[in-house]
Amino acid sequence: MVIHGGIRYQEYPWLGDAIPKWIGVMDFKDMAENLNYNFVKTAHYPNERLIYDLADKYGIVIDEESPSIKNQAFSVEVQEQQMKEMIRRDRNHPSIMLWSMAARPTMRLIQNLL
């Protein structure tokens, strides 16, 4: 299988994170039909549930990322809780094949997880 895709940020110019559902639908239709994507990584946080429904519909594999970004003052327990909540919420989506812990994890975070 050849992986072809990119990273999707759930934000839009002048709207920020308050994206209407039709933009998410338009994004995934474009990714599937015009760009021939078969893989998308959510950027730095879980996206809204509609995004995973669309990935299931279009057969796009997802790497869902937790909101654990370098230099955040979250404890390991908080980061672990975020992962649990994300996985519980989205575990029934066949398109999600990976759950990422962080975009740029710190060495301390990695050592605490080992």
Side-chain angles (χ1 to χ4, degrees):
M1 176 177 163
V2 175
I3 296 174
H4 180 74
I7 297 174
R8 180 181 187 274
Y9 290 85
Q10 186 171 301
E11 58 184 55
Y12 203 77
W14 77 85
L15 296 174
D17 190 27
I19 302 172
K21 294 189 183 312
W22 67 266
I23 291 179
V25 172
M26 181 183 67
D27 280 351
F28 267 79
K29 185 175 168 94
D30 186 42
M31 285 188 269
E33 295 176 1
N34 297 323
L35 299 173
N36 296 317
Y37 276 18
N38 61 4
F39 178 83
V40 170
K41 179 178 181 176
T42 63
H44 309 310
Y45 40 79
N47 283 211
E48 69 169 305
R49 292 179 180 173
L50 171 67
I51 297 308
Y52 306 112
D53 292 337
L54 293 168
D56 294 343
K57 175 182 176 179
Y58 287 109
I60 296 175
V61 174
I62 295 287
D63 174 1
E64 185 175 27
E65 189 169 79
S66 76
S68 303
I69 299 175
K70 182 179 179 181
N71 297 329
Q72 287 182 336
F74 294 153
S75 68
V76 173
E77 293 79 22
V78 169
Q79 292 177 3
E80 185 178 331
Q81 184 62 32
Q82 288 175 335
M83 286 297 291
K84 286 179 182 178
E85 289 174 10
M86 181 178 70
I87 291 169
R88 273 190 207 119
R89 185 189 87 159
D90 299 324
R91 65 183 169 204
N92 291 320
H93 286 282
S95 60
I96 300 174
M97 298 191 77
L98 302 164
W99 279 286
S100 298
M101 183 61 200
R104 293 172 292 280
T106 62
M107 250 348 251
R108 193 188 100 199
L109 172 60
I110 293 169
Q111 289 169 344
N112 286 337
L113 292 172
L114 295 177

